[in-house]
Amino acid sequence: MRQAGRFLPEYRDVRKDLSFLDLVHSPEVCLEVALQPLRRFPLDATIVFSDILTILDAIGAGLRFQKGDGPTLAEPVRTPGDASRLDWTDLGSKLGYTYEAVRLLRAGAPDHALFGFAGSPWTLFCYLVEGEGSSDFARTRTFARRYPDVTAHLLESLADAVSGHLIEQLRAGADAVQVFDTWGGILGETAWRHLSLPSLRRVQASVAKAVPGARTLLFVRAGHLTAAALEAGYSGISLHDTASLVDARRLAGRTVATQGNIDNTVLLAGPDAIRAEAARVGRELHAGERGGIGHIVNLGHGILPSTPPEAVAMLCEAVAQIPVIL
Ligand code: CP3
């Protein structure tokens, strides 16, 4: 969850001379910022440095990151006519810088598990229509209600772009790929089943077909969607801190892994809060009857930029105390 992000002074140093997108487009620098947290903390895994929105740039929606304002798109899809301007060709070569970054990271961190990722079709659709971040994506939800056929078609095209992107990252050496359905949580369960689930299933089916046995994780930033998210058929489910770890593991059964769920604000709250949260995860992993299937310790959402690096070291130490009974 954005482990290489803005909380590390050495990352901010790299960013002094380079815009975020220039960084993402430079595989060697992506390698450097992905390695930075591995030098500091005893982590088991690394994630390729990129962003979920690069796909929107590649289809011609014109991505920009402005200081303090978050991402904006120069060419959002506000009407059905706008959708016809998008260019779905050659995405593999347009996004090739990320596959190169995966290859470099595979070689540079041979002993770490390596994650690739992409945004979910619905989450990409949210940015594509809204043209920027939003708390409720009202314009996007209105578009989806007003133009259901164009929406379904765009979600399918996005699903094909997302699966192609994940397949290339797996082929370049990623051990697992995570799909971020960050904005699935703005939908109620019925709407989510209609607007996000079908394209998530389409992604899972294409990836599993192209890379048999591929490990896939699905992150939904919402506790109320855990049961529905399990229907997408991914090999693991990544939990926001509003989800119940106990319920998720019960629902996931013995074949689906779990990940995440740690409240990212404990890292700002001092040693006692950190130890208490690690102990909570330990307790909840051992509740129930499940055993035999993994849990990836992680935050429930991206690390906050104001996190002191020492707090991450403390969390790693506290997590190492959790007895493992697999
Ligand atoms: O190395 C890593 O930690 C992995 C990198 C990673 C980034 N973005 C890098 C990044 C990952 C996994 C993402 C995913 C991502 N990007 C998501 C899904 C995860 C989530 O947060 O729910 C979303 C919604 C985005 C879109 C995005 N990118 C936003 C909203 C922002 C914040 C913009 C702002 O100014 O607040 C970004 C920028 C971004 N992506 C940064 C990083 C390290 C910060 C860039 C910087 O200022 O240097």
Side-chain angles (χ1 to χ4, degrees):
M1 306 296 288
R2 291 211 204 143
Q3 56 184 238
R6 291 166 283 186
F7 81 113
L8 290 179
E10 57 270 36
Y11 171 82
R12 291 198 291 266
D13 243 29
V14 171
R15 279 279 280 107
K16 272 208 308 259
D17 312 315
L18 214 54
S19 76
F20 176 64
L21 277 181
D22 285 343
L23 198 175
V24 163
H25 293 154
S26 314
E28 284 82 13
V29 196
C30 289
L31 169 66
E32 167 56 23
V33 297
L35 292 177
Q36 286 173 344
L38 306 188
R39 298 191 188 113
R40 276 186 184 253
F41 313 115
L43 299 165
D44 299 311
T46 178
I47 182 161
V48 65
F49 194 85
S50 183
D51 195 84
I52 63 165
L53 301 178
T54 55
I55 286 180
L56 298 183
D57 207 27
I59 62 174
L63 176 64
R64 273 184 315 220
F65 282 90
Q66 276 147 340
K67 256 201 166 68
D69 289 342
T72 54
L73 299 180
E75 309 280 347
V77 172
R78 296 274 163 75
T79 65
D82 291 342
S84 59
R85 285 201 316 260
L86 300 170
D87 177 5
W88 300 93
T89 60
D90 262 346
L91 297 185
S93 55
K94 288 176 189 154
L95 295 166
Y97 50 84
T98 292
Y99 317 136
E100 181 58 14
V102 172
R103 277 189 288 275
L104 293 178
L105 186 53
R106 177 72 293 164
D111 301 327
H112 285 79
L114 199 173
F115 286 77
F117 69 93
S120 74
W122 166 255
T123 292
L124 294 179
F125 177 80
C126 283
Y127 284 100
L128 184 61
V129 174
E130 208 73 26
E132 60 195 7
S134 162
S135 55
D136 59 3
F137 286 90
R139 196 186 267 146
T140 305
R141 290 185 292 138
T142 307
F143 185 104
R145 303 281 182 192
R146 183 171 296 163
Y147 309 116
D149 295 345
V150 181
T151 297
H153 185 71
L154 271 171
L155 287 167
E156 279 188 6
S157 303
L158 285 166
D160 294 343
V162 165
S163 30
H165 194 42
L166 296 175
I167 290 163
E168 288 307 316
Q169 292 176 71
L170 286 162
R171 290 189 174 144
D175 296 299
V177 284
Q178 170 148 305
V179 174
F180 286 93
D181 192 18
T182 302
W183 297 114
I186 60 172
L187 302 170
E189 186 173 328
T190 305
W192 187 85
R193 279 177 197 280
H194 179 63
L195 287 170
S196 191
L197 182 59
S199 52
L200 285 168
R201 282 201 173 125
R202 186 176 171 105
V203 169
Q204 169 62 26
S206 308
V207 171
K209 185 163 177 230
V211 186
R215 296 181 186 91
T216 55
L217 286 153
L218 172 61
F219 169 67
V220 181
R221 186 183 172 185
H224 68 282
L225 294 172
T226 302
L230 282 162
E231 292 173 25
Y234 286 59
S235 16
I237 177 152
S238 196
L239 304 168
H240 190 239
D241 57 83
T242 52
S244 156
L245 181 55
V246 172
D247 289 352
R249 284 177 69 82
R250 183 174 40 74
L251 289 168
R254 296 185 64 86
T255 51
V256 178
T258 51
Q259 174 176 225
N261 194 232
I262 294 180
D263 178 351
N264 53 6
T265 63
V266 301
L267 294 173
L268 307 177
D272 291 347
I274 292 170
R275 280 192 285 269
E277 181 70 344
R280 195 265 306 170
V281 169
R283 245 185 351 265
E284 296 192 354
L285 287 179
H286 293 98
E289 312 265 308
R290 133 169 236 279
I293 179 76
H295 175 77
I296 301 169
V297 174
N298 203 339
L299 302 180
H301 199 220
I303 195 160
L304 297 166
S306 53
T307 301
E310 310 77 65
V312 176
M314 228 174 265
L315 178 62
C316 291
E317 206 175 292
V319 163
Q321 310 298 317
I322 299 176
V324 178
I325 47 142
L326 292 182

Coordinates of all heavy atoms in Angstrom, one line a residue, residues 1-6 11 15 20 34 47-53 65-66 68-71 117 123 127 180 182-183 219 221 301-302, ligand 1:
M1 N 0.8 -1.2 0.0 CA 0.0 0.0 0.0 C 0.9 1.2 0.0 O 1.1 1.8 1.0 CB -0.9 0.0 1.2 CG -1.8 -1.3 1.4 SD -2.9 -1.5 0.0 CE -4.1 -0.3 0.4
R2 N 1.3 1.7 -1.1 CA 2.2 2.9 -1.3 C 3.3 2.9 -0.3 O 3.5 3.9 0.4 CB 1.3 4.1 -1.1 CG 0.4 4.3 -2.2 CD 0.1 5.7 -2.4 NE -1.2 5.8 -3.1 CZ -2.0 6.8 -2.9 NH1 -1.8 7.7 -2.0 NH2 -3.1 6.8 -3.5
Q3 N 4.0 1.8 -0.2 CA 5.1 1.7 0.8 C 6.3 2.7 0.5 O 6.9 3.1 1.4 CB 5.6 0.3 0.9 CG 6.1 -0.3 -0.4 CD 6.5 -1.7 -0.3 OE1 7.6 -2.0 -0.6 NE2 5.7 -2.6 0.1
A4 N 6.5 2.9 -0.8 CA 7.6 3.8 -1.2 C 7.2 5.3 -1.1 O 8.0 6.1 -1.6 CB 8.1 3.4 -2.6
G5 N 6.0 5.6 -0.7 CA 5.5 6.9 -0.8 C 6.1 8.0 0.0 O 7.3 7.9 0.4
R6 N 5.4 9.1 0.2 CA 5.9 10.3 0.6 C 6.4 10.4 2.0 O 6.9 11.4 2.5 CB 4.9 11.4 0.4 CG 4.6 11.7 -1.0 CD 3.4 12.5 -1.2 NE 2.2 11.7 -1.1 CZ 1.0 12.1 -1.3 NH1 0.8 13.3 -1.7 NH2 0.0 11.3 -1.2
Y11 N 12.7 9.3 -0.4 CA 11.8 9.4 -1.5 C 11.6 10.9 -1.9 O 11.6 11.2 -3.1 CB 10.5 8.7 -1.2 CG 9.4 9.0 -2.2 CD1 9.3 8.2 -3.4 CD2 8.4 10.0 -2.1 CE1 8.3 8.5 -4.4 CE2 7.5 10.2 -3.0 CZ 7.4 9.5 -4.2 OH 6.5 9.7 -5.1
R15 N 12.1 13.0 -5.4 CA 11.0 13.7 -6.0 C 11.4 15.2 -6.2 O 10.6 15.9 -6.9 CB 9.8 13.5 -5.2 CG 9.0 12.3 -5.5 CD 8.2 12.4 -6.8 NE 6.9 13.1 -6.5 CZ 6.6 14.3 -6.8 NH1 7.4 15.0 -7.5 NH2 5.4 14.8 -6.5
F20 N 6.2 13.4 -10.4 CA 5.7 12.1 -10.1 C 5.6 11.2 -11.4 O 6.1 10.1 -11.4 CB 4.4 12.1 -9.4 CG 3.8 10.7 -9.1 CD1 4.5 9.9 -8.3 CD2 2.6 10.3 -9.7 CE1 4.0 8.6 -8.1 CE2 2.1 9.1 -9.5 CZ 2.8 8.2 -8.7
A34 N 11.5 1.8 -5.0 CA 11.0 0.6 -4.5 C 11.9 -0.1 -3.5 O 11.5 -0.8 -2.6 CB 10.6 -0.4 -5.6
I47 N 6.5 -3.8 -3.9 CA 5.5 -3.5 -5.0 C 6.1 -2.6 -6.0 O 6.9 -1.7 -5.6 CB 4.2 -2.9 -4.3 CG1 3.1 -2.6 -5.4 CG2 4.5 -1.6 -3.6 CD1 1.7 -2.5 -4.8
V48 N 5.9 -2.9 -7.2 CA 6.5 -2.1 -8.3 C 6.0 -0.6 -8.2 O 4.8 -0.4 -7.8 CB 6.1 -2.6 -9.7 CG1 4.7 -2.6 -10.0 CG2 6.9 -1.9 -10.8
F49 N 6.8 0.3 -8.4 CA 6.5 1.7 -8.3 C 5.8 2.2 -9.6 O 6.3 2.2 -10.7 CB 7.7 2.6 -8.0 CG 7.2 4.0 -7.5 CD1 6.9 4.2 -6.2 CD2 7.0 5.0 -8.4 CE1 6.4 5.4 -5.8 CE2 6.5 6.2 -8.0 CZ 6.3 6.4 -6.7
S50 N 4.5 2.6 -9.4 CA 3.7 3.1 -10.6 C 2.5 3.7 -10.0 O 2.5 4.2 -8.8 CB 3.4 1.9 -11.5 OG 2.7 2.3 -12.6
D51 N 1.5 3.8 -10.8 CA 0.2 4.4 -10.3 C -0.9 3.7 -11.0 O -0.8 3.3 -12.2 CB 0.1 5.9 -10.5 CG -1.0 6.5 -9.6 OD1 -0.8 6.7 -8.4 OD2 -2.1 6.6 -10.1
I52 N -2.1 3.6 -10.4 CA -3.2 3.0 -11.1 C -3.7 3.8 -12.3 O -4.3 3.2 -13.2 CB -4.4 2.7 -10.2 CG1 -5.0 4.0 -9.7 CG2 -4.1 1.7 -9.1 CD1 -6.4 3.8 -9.0
L53 N -3.4 5.1 -12.4 CA -4.0 5.9 -13.4 C -3.2 6.0 -14.7 O -3.6 6.6 -15.7 CB -4.1 7.3 -12.8 CG -5.0 7.4 -11.6 CD1 -5.1 8.8 -11.1 CD2 -6.4 6.9 -11.9
F65 N -0.6 15.2 -12.6 CA -0.6 15.3 -11.1 C -0.2 16.7 -10.8 O 0.9 17.1 -11.1 CB 0.3 14.3 -10.5 CG -0.2 12.9 -10.4 CD1 0.0 12.1 -11.5 CD2 -1.0 12.5 -9.4 CE1 -0.5 10.8 -11.4 CE2 -1.5 11.2 -9.3 CZ -1.2 10.3 -10.4
Q66 N -1.1 17.5 -10.2 CA -0.7 18.9 -9.8 C -0.5 18.9 -8.3 O -1.2 18.3 -7.6 CB -1.8 19.9 -10.2 CG -1.7 20.3 -11.7 CD -3.1 20.5 -12.3 OE1 -4.1 20.1 -11.8 NE2 -3.1 21.3 -13.4
G68 N -0.5 19.2 -4.7 CA -1.6 19.5 -3.7 C -3.0 19.2 -4.2 O -3.9 19.1 -3.4
D69 N -3.2 19.0 -5.5 CA -4.6 18.8 -6.0 C -4.9 17.4 -6.4 O -6.0 17.1 -6.7 CB -4.8 19.7 -7.3 CG -4.9 21.1 -7.0 OD1 -5.1 21.5 -5.8 OD2 -4.7 22.0 -7.9
G70 N -3.9 16.5 -6.3 CA -4.1 15.2 -6.8 C -4.2 15.0 -8.3 O -3.9 16.0 -9.0
P71 N -4.6 13.9 -8.8 CA -4.7 13.6 -10.2 C -5.8 14.4 -10.9 O -6.9 14.5 -10.4 CB -4.9 12.1 -10.3 CG -5.4 11.7 -9.0 CD -5.0 12.7 -8.0
F117 N 0.4 -4.4 -9.9 CA -1.0 -3.9 -9.6 C -1.6 -3.2 -10.7 O -0.9 -2.8 -11.7 CB -1.0 -3.1 -8.3 CG -0.3 -1.7 -8.4 CD1 -1.1 -0.6 -8.8 CD2 1.0 -1.6 -8.2 CE1 -0.5 0.6 -8.9 CE2 1.6 -0.3 -8.3 CZ 0.9 0.8 -8.7
T123 N -13.0 1.6 -10.7 CA -12.2 2.7 -10.1 C -11.6 3.6 -11.2 O -11.6 4.8 -11.1 CB -11.2 2.2 -9.1 OG1 -11.9 1.6 -8.0 CG2 -10.2 3.2 -8.6
Y127 N -12.4 7.8 -12.3 CA -11.5 8.9 -12.6 C -11.7 9.4 -14.0 O -11.6 10.6 -14.3 CB -10.0 8.5 -12.4 CG -9.6 8.5 -10.9 CD1 -9.5 7.3 -10.2 CD2 -9.3 9.6 -10.2 CE1 -9.1 7.2 -8.9 CE2 -8.9 9.6 -8.9 CZ -8.9 8.4 -8.2 OH -8.5 8.4 -6.9
F180 N -6.9 -2.8 -7.4 CA -7.4 -1.8 -6.4 C -8.7 -1.3 -6.8 O -8.9 -0.5 -7.7 CB -6.4 -0.6 -6.3 CG -5.1 -0.8 -5.6 CD1 -4.0 -1.2 -6.3 CD2 -5.0 -0.7 -4.2 CE1 -2.8 -1.5 -5.6 CE2 -3.9 -0.9 -3.5 CZ -2.7 -1.3 -4.2
T182 N -10.5 0.8 -5.3 CA -10.6 1.9 -4.3 C -11.9 2.5 -4.2 O -12.4 2.8 -3.1 CB -9.5 2.9 -4.6 OG1 -8.3 2.3 -4.7 CG2 -9.5 4.0 -3.6
W183 N -12.6 2.8 -5.3 CA -13.9 3.5 -5.2 C -15.1 2.6 -5.4 O -16.2 3.1 -5.6 CB -13.9 4.6 -6.3 CG -12.8 5.7 -5.9 CD1 -11.7 5.9 -6.7 CD2 -12.7 6.5 -4.7 NE1 -10.9 6.9 -6.0 CE2 -11.5 7.2 -4.8 CE3 -13.6 6.6 -3.6 CZ2 -11.2 8.1 -3.8 CZ3 -13.2 7.5 -2.6 CH2 -12.0 8.2 -2.8
F219 N -8.5 -5.7 -3.7 CA -8.7 -4.7 -2.6 C -9.9 -4.0 -2.8 O -10.1 -3.4 -3.9 CB -7.5 -3.7 -2.6 CG -7.7 -2.6 -1.7 CD1 -7.8 -2.7 -0.3 CD2 -7.8 -1.3 -2.2 CE1 -8.0 -1.7 0.6 CE2 -8.0 -0.2 -1.3 CZ -8.1 -0.4 0.1
R221 N -12.1 -1.0 -0.9 CA -11.9 -0.1 0.3 C -13.2 0.1 1.0 O -13.7 1.2 1.1 CB -11.4 1.3 -0.3 CG -11.0 2.3 0.7 CD -10.6 3.5 0.0 NE -10.4 4.6 0.8 CZ -10.2 5.9 0.4 NH1 -10.1 6.1 -0.9 NH2 -10.0 6.8 1.3
H301 N -5.0 0.6 4.1 CA -5.0 1.6 3.0 C -3.6 2.2 3.0 O -2.8 1.8 3.8 CB -6.1 2.6 3.2 CG -6.4 3.3 1.9 ND1 -6.7 4.7 1.8 CD2 -6.5 2.9 0.7 CE1 -6.9 5.0 0.6 NE2 -6.8 3.9 -0.1
G302 N -3.4 3.1 2.0 CA -2.0 3.6 1.8 C -1.4 4.3 3.1 O -2.2 4.9 3.9
Ligands
CP3_1 O1 5.7 2.0 -4.3 C1 4.5 2.0 -3.9 O2 4.2 2.2 -2.8 C2 3.4 1.6 -4.9 C3 2.8 2.6 -5.5 C4 1.4 3.1 -5.6 C5 1.2 4.4 -5.9 N1 -0.2 4.6 -6.2 C6 2.2 5.5 -6.0 C7 1.8 6.9 -5.7 C8 0.2 2.4 -5.6 C9 -0.1 1.0 -5.3 C10 -0.8 3.4 -6.0 C11 -2.2 3.1 -6.2 C12 -3.2 4.2 -6.4 N2 -3.0 5.4 -7.0 C13 -4.5 4.1 -5.9 C14 -5.1 2.9 -5.3 C15 -4.8 2.7 -3.9 C16 -5.5 3.6 -3.0 O3 -4.9 4.6 -2.5 O4 -6.6 3.3 -2.8 C17 -5.1 5.3 -6.2 C18 -6.6 5.7 -5.9 C19 -4.2 6.1 -6.9 C20 -4.4 7.5 -7.5 C21 -3.5 8.4 -6.9 N3 -2.2 8.5 -7.1 C22 -3.9 9.4 -5.9 C23 -5.2 9.7 -5.4 C24 -2.7 10.1 -5.6 C25 -2.5 11.2 -4.5 C26 -2.3 12.5 -5.1 C27 -2.0 13.6 -4.1 O5 -1.4 14.5 -4.4 O6 -2.5 13.4 -2.9 C28 -1.6 9.5 -6.3 C29 -0.2 9.8 -6.3 C30 0.8 8.8 -5.8 N4 0.8 7.5 -6.3 C31 1.9 9.0 -4.9 C32 2.5 7.8 -4.9 C33 3.8 7.5 -4.1 C34 2.3 10.3 -4.3 C35 3.1 11.0 -5.3 C36 4.0 12.1 -4.7 O7 3.5 13.1 -4.3 O8 5.2 11.8 -4.8

